[in-house]
């Protein structure tokens, strides 16, 4: 760092010389001038830390010079040198903004002491100013960064109000910083996930928010930063992909369906031929005809189920997404199958998480999912057992278990394949439908099974799922 610089302003050349010699004992550089005008001139061209000013100058008062010097550099300190020690001159000096004053004749140590203290004061002020500028610069840089990033950045204070609203948000939403700062931001980001972002003048964008909590030294200043990416197009693409995938699946299934329909049709046809022959022979008594009619009825029912379930699979109905209480759906399904369960000697258990993140889903479709899983479980426990339904929060997801104590199946069993069934009257479409509906919700399903314990787990994304079908 440069040496501190001291300006001596005195028209008495001998005294000025004397002062300069004393001050030079400190590690400073010294300038000497004789008039106020010269002092201002010098201070304008060189940064001065301290001026030692004779109170009486040929071209004015030393006190008046203080404001002139301060105008050039607000941090400069001035020590006045006066010939008389009256109270008035002391008051005038301090009023004028001098750091202190020294009365002639003075002792070198006293002068040095004042000069040191004054220079110390200037150093503190300059350092404080430097830090202030640096802080301002770093804040400016931070603000520039927040505004320059091509993502949405918002911050919420401890009360959930918006405290940062970056340029990208302003541009895309049309809502200015001034309008948004101080408004509640809870509905905007809701703890992360995908949510609609309203556009001024109508419409919305879909934004995936990630949250980061920044802990400040003062707990009151903790902030939650939300960084968001526009996923409107991505979600639209996903929707189209799902539709394409679905159409392909429908094609495969239609081929399978034709095959599946042939079995009951053949069987019914055969039974009808038997019946016709008996009628032609005249021995179609009620007793012999009855079992044959029964078989035909069963086959027709099977056909009906196949067609109904196939339609449930292919029906291109949009999801009716709405905030859904998953426990309510589970309870309703358990209630619905209670008579069947009781008849089969199956006890019901449920473990519902007390707090789950908000979830958008189509409750009617979810009911179908749970009903198919619960039915399979009941069918897997012909000799009784326990059916357990659980809900819980997982990172970014809500999970639902449907667990039974039934027969189970081996690892490689293709239970999700369309038309795969091990039941005499099964359609093999139940789990295909489950899989489809869960995928439409952008969720996943997994299963663990062994004899005595089978557990299907559905994971649905928390927040607002977007695919509409
Ligand atoms: P369906 O019930 O008509 O057979 P699903 O698609 O619902 O068709 O199920 C396919 C097959 O998966 C069932 O036939 C059964 O073999 C097996 N499965 C499904 N759920 C369970 C379960 N909870 N326990 C044991 N096996 C199961
Ligand atoms: Mg089934």
């Amino acid at each position: 760092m440069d040496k501190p610089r001291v300006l001596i302003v005195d028209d008495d050349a001998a005294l000025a010389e004397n002062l300069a010699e004393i001050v030079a004992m400190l590690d400073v550089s010294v300038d000497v001038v004789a008039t106020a005008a010269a002092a201002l001139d010098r201070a304008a061209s060189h940064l001065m830390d301290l001026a030692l000013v004779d109170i009486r100058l040929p071209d004015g008062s030393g006190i008046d010079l203080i404001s002139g010097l301060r105008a050039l550099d607000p941090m400069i300190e001035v020590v006045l040198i006066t010939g008389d020690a009256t109270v008035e001159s002391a008051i005038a000096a301090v009023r004028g903004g001098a750091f202190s004053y020294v009365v002639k004749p003075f002792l070198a140590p006293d002068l040095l002491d004042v000069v040191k203290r004054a220079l110390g004061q200037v150093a503190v002020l300059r350092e404080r100013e430097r830090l202030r500028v640096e802080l301002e610069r770093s804040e400016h840089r931070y603000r520039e960064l927040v505004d320059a990033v091509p993502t949405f950045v918002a911050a919420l204070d401890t009360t959930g109000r918006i405290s940062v609203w970056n340029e990208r948000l302003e541009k895309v939403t049309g809502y200015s910083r001034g309008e948004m700062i101080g408004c509640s931001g809870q509905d905007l980001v809701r703890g992360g996930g995908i949510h609609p972002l309203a556009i001024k003048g109508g419409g919305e964008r879909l934004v995936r928010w990630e949250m980061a909590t920044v802990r400040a030294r003062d707990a009151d200043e903790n902030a939650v930063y939300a960084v968001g990416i526009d996923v409107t197009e991505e979600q639209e693409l996903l929707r189209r992909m799902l539709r394409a995938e679905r159409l392909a699946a429908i094609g495969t299934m239609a081929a399978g369906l034709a095959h599946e329909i042939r079995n009951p049709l053949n069987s019914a046809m055969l039974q009808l031929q038997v019946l016709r022959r008996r009628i032609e022979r005249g021995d179609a008594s009620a007793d012999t005809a009855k079992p044959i009619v029964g078989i035909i009825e069963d086959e027709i029912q099977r056909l009906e189920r196949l067609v109904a379930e196939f339609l449930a699979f292919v029906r291109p109905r949009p999801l009716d997404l709405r905030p859904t209480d998953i426990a309510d759906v589970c309870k309703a399904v358990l209630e619905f199958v209670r008579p069947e369960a009781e008849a089969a000697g199956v006890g019901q258990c449920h473990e519902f998480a007390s707090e789950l993140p908000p979830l958008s889903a189509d409750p009617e479709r979810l009911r179908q999912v749970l009903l198919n899983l619960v039915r399979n479980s009941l069918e897997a426990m012909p000799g009784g057992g326990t059916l357990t339904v659980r809900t819980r929060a997982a990172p970014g997801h809500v999970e639902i278990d449907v667990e039974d104590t039934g027969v189970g199946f081996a690892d490689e069993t293709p239970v999700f394949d369309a038309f795969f069934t091990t039941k005499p009257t099964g359609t093999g479409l139940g789990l295909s439908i489950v899989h489809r509906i869960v995928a439409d919700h952008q969720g996943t399903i997994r299963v663990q099974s062994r004899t005595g314990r089978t557990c299907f787990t559905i994971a649905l994304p928390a927040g607002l799922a977007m695919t509409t079908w």
Side-chain angles (χ1 to χ4, degrees):
M1 237 172 73
D2 288 346
K3 285 182 185 177
R5 206 154 173 159
V6 179
L7 178 66
I8 292 168
V9 192
D10 202 325
D11 60 325
D12 179 337
L15 187 75
E17 186 66 21
N18 188 5
L19 275 169
E21 259 171 45
I22 296 170
V23 173
M25 290 161 73
L26 300 171
D27 191 19
V28 298
S29 54
V30 183
D31 283 42
V32 178
V33 293
T35 62
L40 289 171
D41 230 33
R42 189 63 62 92
S45 57
H46 297 84
L47 183 81
M48 294 294 168
D49 295 296
L50 171 65
L52 294 179
V53 180
D54 188 2
I55 206 158
R56 243 175 252 119
L57 292 169
D59 53 348
S61 144
I63 292 175
D64 294 340
L65 181 57
I66 297 176
S67 54
L69 290 172
R70 283 269 159 79
L72 292 169
D73 175 358
M75 267 163 286
I76 192 171
E77 287 296 356
V78 176
V79 171
L80 288 170
I81 297 169
T82 160
D84 69 289
T86 61
V87 174
E88 292 86 74
S89 69
I91 289 173
V94 174
R95 278 242 179 94
F99 175 78
S100 181
Y101 66 99
V102 173
V103 183
K104 286 187 276 195
F106 47 80
L107 295 173
D110 292 344
L111 178 70
L112 285 177
D113 183 54
V114 172
V115 168
K116 267 195 260 176
R117 278 193 290 118
L119 286 175
Q121 167 81 1
V122 176
V124 166
L125 288 178
R126 292 219 192 281
E127 177 63 7
R128 197 181 293 162
E129 175 63 8
R130 193 184 63 75
L131 290 174
R132 193 189 63 77
V133 169
E134 199 168 278
L135 187 69
E136 206 170 70
R137 203 176 295 151
S138 98
E139 252 178 28
H140 182 71
R141 236 179 284 140
Y142 152 80
R143 238 174 285 134
E144 264 181 352
L145 180 73
V146 162
D147 278 336
V149 285
T151 48
F152 302 123
V153 180
L156 308 187
D157 64 17
T158 37
T159 64
R161 299 194 179 284
I162 296 172
S163 58
V164 170
W165 185 257
N166 82 339
E167 215 171 282
R168 182 100 176 161
L169 276 167
E170 287 192 314
K171 248 191 222 143
V172 172
T173 62
Y175 289 107
S176 72
R177 219 159 275 189
E179 286 171 278
M180 296 310 291
I181 299 234
C183 296
S184 167
Q186 310 284 37
D187 285 351
L188 187 79
V189 294
R190 290 182 242 175
I194 298 177
H195 306 292
L197 177 68
I199 306 291
K200 200 174 195 171
E204 61 185 29
R205 304 290 298 173
L206 278 175
V207 178
R208 178 184 290 122
W209 294 100
E210 298 282 349
M211 314 299 290
T213 303
V214 177
R215 261 173 234 298
R217 224 174 279 165
D218 180 354
D220 274 357
E221 286 173 17
N222 281 354
V224 175
Y225 278 85
V227 177
I229 306 175
D230 192 324
V231 291
T232 315
E233 276 82 27
E234 182 191 304
Q235 292 286 304
E236 171 62 19
L237 201 69
L238 200 70
R239 201 178 70 79
R240 281 202 219 133
M241 257 171 54
L242 277 171
R243 169 184 274 153
E245 200 183 277
R246 185 191 184 89
L247 288 176
I250 290 170
T252 319
M253 278 191 71
L257 183 71
H259 179 79
E260 290 301 311
I261 282 176
R262 229 172 250 147
N263 291 337
L265 269 184
N266 274 346
S267 163
M269 204 58 147
L270 280 175
Q271 296 303 323
L272 279 173
Q273 281 165 9
V274 171
L275 200 56
R276 169 188 281 271
R277 251 180 272 125
R278 291 209 179 151
I279 290 168
E280 282 167 359
R281 285 207 307 265
D283 66 352
S285 72
D287 277 355
T288 56
K290 226 179 180 175
I292 298 175
V293 170
I295 293 173
I296 295 171
E297 260 171 11
D298 282 353
E299 296 297 357
I300 287 173
Q301 262 167 22
R302 186 159 139 73
L303 279 172
E304 218 172 56
R305 253 201 321 277
L306 266 171
V307 170
E309 295 204 349
F310 181 74
L311 285 179
F313 185 90
V314 299
R315 198 166 29 197
R317 188 159 62 87
L319 287 184
D320 180 13
L321 292 178
R322 60 180 78 167
T324 301
D325 184 339
I326 205 85
D328 279 353
V329 181
C330 294
K331 274 183 225 159
V333 169
L334 285 176
E335 210 41 57
F336 184 72
V337 300
R338 190 179 295 280
E340 277 169 68
E342 274 169 7
V346 170
Q348 295 186 345
C349 280
H350 55 75
E351 296 164 21
F352 298 140
S354 54
E355 260 185 47
L356 285 177
L359 179 85
S360 276
D362 183 331
E364 208 31 61
R365 302 313 251 327
L366 274 193
R367 185 185 140 86
Q368 169 93 67
V369 164
L370 287 163
L371 196 59
N372 286 8
L373 292 177
V374 162
R375 278 255 158 77
N376 279 349
S377 284
L378 293 179
E379 285 160 5
M381 298 184 286
T386 306
L387 169 69
T388 307
V389 177
R390 263 180 233 107
T391 65
R392 80 183 146 264
H397 288 84
V398 173
E399 292 194 336
I400 311 157
D401 284 344
V402 175
E403 187 181 314
D404 62 61
T405 55
V407 292
F409 51 84
D411 272 352
E412 301 304 314
T413 317
V415 290
F416 288 105
D417 281 6
F419 305 113
F420 173 81
T421 179
T422 53
K423 299 166 197 168
T425 57
T427 62
L429 286 177
L431 287 179
S432 299
I433 292 167
V434 166
H435 191 269
R436 169 57 47 197
I437 295 174
V438 170
D440 285 350
H441 281 83
Q442 294 182 32
T444 55
I445 182 163
R446 57 183 193 270
V447 63
Q448 280 186 316
S449 183
R450 55 180 157 81
T451 309
R453 181 181 178 273
T454 298
C455 183
F456 283 86
T457 301
I458 298 164
L460 298 173
L464 187 95
M466 231 323 277
T467 320
T468 49
W469 251 98

mmCIF file of all heavy atoms in Angstrom, residues 65-82:
data_model
loop_
_atom_site.group_PDB
_atom_site.id
_atom_site.type_symbol
_atom_site.label_atom_id
_atom_site.label_comp_id
_atom_site.label_asym_id
_atom_site.label_seq_id
_atom_site.Cartn_x
_atom_site.Cartn_y
_atom_site.Cartn_z
ATOM 1 N N LEU A 65 -10.881 26.317 4.579
ATOM 2 C CA LEU A 65 -10.212 25.386 3.658
ATOM 3 C C LEU A 65 -10.727 23.952 3.854
ATOM 4 O O LEU A 65 -10.760 23.151 2.907
ATOM 5 C CB LEU A 65 -8.689 25.441 3.883
ATOM 6 C CG LEU A 65 -7.822 24.545 2.983
ATOM 7 C CD1 LEU A 65 -8.066 24.847 1.511
ATOM 8 C CD2 LEU A 65 -6.344 24.729 3.323
ATOM 9 N N ILE A 66 -11.161 23.683 5.103
ATOM 10 C CA ILE A 66 -11.591 22.294 5.400
ATOM 11 C C ILE A 66 -12.657 21.827 4.411
ATOM 12 O O ILE A 66 -12.543 20.762 3.793
ATOM 13 C CB ILE A 66 -12.126 22.167 6.842
ATOM 14 C CG1 ILE A 66 -10.993 22.497 7.838
ATOM 15 C CG2 ILE A 66 -12.635 20.741 7.096
ATOM 16 C CD1 ILE A 66 -11.447 22.506 9.288
ATOM 17 N N SER A 67 -13.694 22.679 4.230
ATOM 18 C CA SER A 67 -14.792 22.236 3.357
ATOM 19 C C SER A 67 -14.314 22.078 1.919
ATOM 20 O O SER A 67 -14.773 21.187 1.199
ATOM 21 C CB SER A 67 -15.978 23.195 3.450
ATOM 22 O OG SER A 67 -15.507 24.503 3.184
ATOM 23 N N GLY A 68 -13.371 22.959 1.530
ATOM 24 C CA GLY A 68 -12.825 22.839 0.173
ATOM 25 C C GLY A 68 -12.113 21.508 -0.022
ATOM 26 O O GLY A 68 -12.301 20.828 -1.033
ATOM 27 N N LEU A 69 -11.315 21.124 0.973
ATOM 28 C CA LEU A 69 -10.588 19.847 0.883
ATOM 29 C C LEU A 69 -11.550 18.661 0.908
ATOM 30 O O LEU A 69 -11.406 17.696 0.159
ATOM 31 C CB LEU A 69 -9.584 19.734 2.045
ATOM 32 C CG LEU A 69 -8.369 20.679 1.972
ATOM 33 C CD1 LEU A 69 -7.566 20.613 3.267
ATOM 34 C CD2 LEU A 69 -7.473 20.330 0.780
ATOM 35 N N ARG A 70 -12.549 18.784 1.780
ATOM 36 C CA ARG A 70 -13.533 17.684 1.902
ATOM 37 C C ARG A 70 -14.320 17.489 0.608
ATOM 38 O O ARG A 70 -14.752 16.387 0.279
ATOM 39 C CB ARG A 70 -14.518 17.983 3.040
ATOM 40 C CG ARG A 70 -13.941 17.725 4.416
ATOM 41 C CD ARG A 70 -14.248 16.279 4.865
ATOM 42 N NE ARG A 70 -13.328 15.866 5.909
ATOM 43 C CZ ARG A 70 -13.425 16.219 7.194
ATOM 44 N NH1 ARG A 70 -14.418 16.996 7.585
ATOM 45 N NH2 ARG A 70 -12.541 15.807 8.065
ATOM 46 N N ALA A 71 -14.524 18.602 -0.101
ATOM 47 C CA ALA A 71 -15.262 18.501 -1.363
ATOM 48 C C ALA A 71 -14.465 17.665 -2.355
ATOM 49 O O ALA A 71 -15.019 16.957 -3.186
ATOM 50 C CB ALA A 71 -15.526 19.895 -1.931
ATOM 51 N N LEU A 72 -13.139 17.746 -2.238
ATOM 52 C CA LEU A 72 -12.287 16.960 -3.140
ATOM 53 C C LEU A 72 -12.209 15.509 -2.697
ATOM 54 O O LEU A 72 -12.138 14.597 -3.514
ATOM 55 C CB LEU A 72 -10.870 17.558 -3.169
ATOM 56 C CG LEU A 72 -10.760 18.934 -3.832
ATOM 57 C CD1 LEU A 72 -9.384 19.548 -3.553
ATOM 58 C CD2 LEU A 72 -10.990 18.814 -5.336
ATOM 59 N N ASP A 73 -12.194 15.301 -1.376
ATOM 60 C CA ASP A 73 -12.063 13.939 -0.848
ATOM 61 C C ASP A 73 -12.746 13.901 0.519
ATOM 62 O O ASP A 73 -12.194 14.394 1.500
ATOM 63 C CB ASP A 73 -10.571 13.589 -0.714
ATOM 64 C CG ASP A 73 -10.358 12.222 -0.060
ATOM 65 O OD1 ASP A 73 -11.364 11.572 0.325
ATOM 66 O OD2 ASP A 73 -9.191 11.809 0.061
ATOM 67 N N PRO A 74 -13.903 13.326 0.609
ATOM 68 C CA PRO A 74 -14.670 13.383 1.867
ATOM 69 C C PRO A 74 -13.956 12.708 3.031
ATOM 70 O O PRO A 74 -14.321 12.918 4.185
ATOM 71 C CB PRO A 74 -15.989 12.674 1.536
ATOM 72 C CG PRO A 74 -15.803 12.033 0.218
ATOM 73 C CD PRO A 74 -14.619 12.630 -0.454
ATOM 74 N N MET A 75 -12.931 11.920 2.748
ATOM 75 C CA MET A 75 -12.308 11.192 3.847
ATOM 76 C C MET A 75 -11.044 11.852 4.403
ATOM 77 O O MET A 75 -10.468 11.373 5.368
ATOM 78 C CB MET A 75 -12.014 9.767 3.423
ATOM 79 C CG MET A 75 -13.174 8.852 3.799
ATOM 80 S SD MET A 75 -13.107 7.327 2.926
ATOM 81 C CE MET A 75 -13.617 7.831 1.332
ATOM 82 N N ILE A 76 -10.643 12.927 3.803
ATOM 83 C CA ILE A 76 -9.421 13.595 4.279
ATOM 84 C C ILE A 76 -9.653 14.150 5.691
ATOM 85 O O ILE A 76 -10.768 14.555 6.035
ATOM 86 C CB ILE A 76 -9.018 14.726 3.299
ATOM 87 C CG1 ILE A 76 -7.597 15.222 3.625
ATOM 88 C CG2 ILE A 76 -10.002 15.886 3.372
ATOM 89 C CD1 ILE A 76 -7.034 16.176 2.581
ATOM 90 N N GLU A 77 -8.633 14.080 6.552
ATOM 91 C CA GLU A 77 -8.740 14.679 7.882
ATOM 92 C C GLU A 77 -7.877 15.945 7.908
ATOM 93 O O GLU A 77 -6.870 16.038 7.196
ATOM 94 C CB GLU A 77 -8.261 13.709 8.968
ATOM 95 C CG GLU A 77 -9.215 12.548 9.237
ATOM 96 C CD GLU A 77 -10.577 12.963 9.792
ATOM 97 O OE1 GLU A 77 -10.800 14.177 10.056
ATOM 98 O OE2 GLU A 77 -11.434 12.073 9.958
ATOM 99 N N VAL A 78 -8.328 16.902 8.731
ATOM 100 C CA VAL A 78 -7.579 18.160 8.829
ATOM 101 C C VAL A 78 -7.234 18.428 10.296
ATOM 102 O O VAL A 78 -8.096 18.283 11.165
ATOM 103 C CB VAL A 78 -8.413 19.332 8.264
ATOM 104 C CG1 VAL A 78 -7.669 20.656 8.465
ATOM 105 C CG2 VAL A 78 -8.724 19.097 6.784
ATOM 106 N N VAL A 79 -5.975 18.754 10.565
ATOM 107 C CA VAL A 79 -5.572 19.200 11.905
ATOM 108 C C VAL A 79 -5.169 20.667 11.767
ATOM 109 O O VAL A 79 -4.329 21.009 10.930
ATOM 110 C CB VAL A 79 -4.392 18.357 12.441
ATOM 111 C CG1 VAL A 79 -3.851 18.979 13.734
ATOM 112 C CG2 VAL A 79 -4.842 16.919 12.687
ATOM 113 N N LEU A 80 -5.825 21.518 12.533
ATOM 114 C CA LEU A 80 -5.544 22.951 12.439
ATOM 115 C C LEU A 80 -4.427 23.342 13.402
ATOM 116 O O LEU A 80 -4.335 22.789 14.499
ATOM 117 C CB LEU A 80 -6.807 23.749 12.760
ATOM 118 C CG LEU A 80 -7.886 23.686 11.657
ATOM 119 C CD1 LEU A 80 -9.180 24.291 12.162
ATOM 120 C CD2 LEU A 80 -7.406 24.384 10.390
ATOM 121 N N ILE A 81 -3.618 24.291 12.966
ATOM 122 C CA ILE A 81 -2.529 24.770 13.822
ATOM 123 C C ILE A 81 -2.827 26.229 14.131
ATOM 124 O O ILE A 81 -3.024 27.030 13.212
ATOM 125 C CB ILE A 81 -1.178 24.608 13.119
ATOM 126 C CG1 ILE A 81 -0.972 23.093 12.904
ATOM 127 C CG2 ILE A 81 -0.053 25.211 13.956
ATOM 128 C CD1 ILE A 81 0.164 22.767 12.019
ATOM 129 N N THR A 82 -2.962 26.497 15.396
ATOM 130 C CA THR A 82 -3.399 27.833 15.781
ATOM 131 C C THR A 82 -2.425 28.454 16.777
ATOM 132 O O THR A 82 -1.768 27.731 17.536
ATOM 133 C CB THR A 82 -4.839 27.799 16.358
ATOM 134 O OG1 THR A 82 -5.047 28.959 17.122
ATOM 135 C CG2 THR A 82 -5.060 26.580 17.226
#
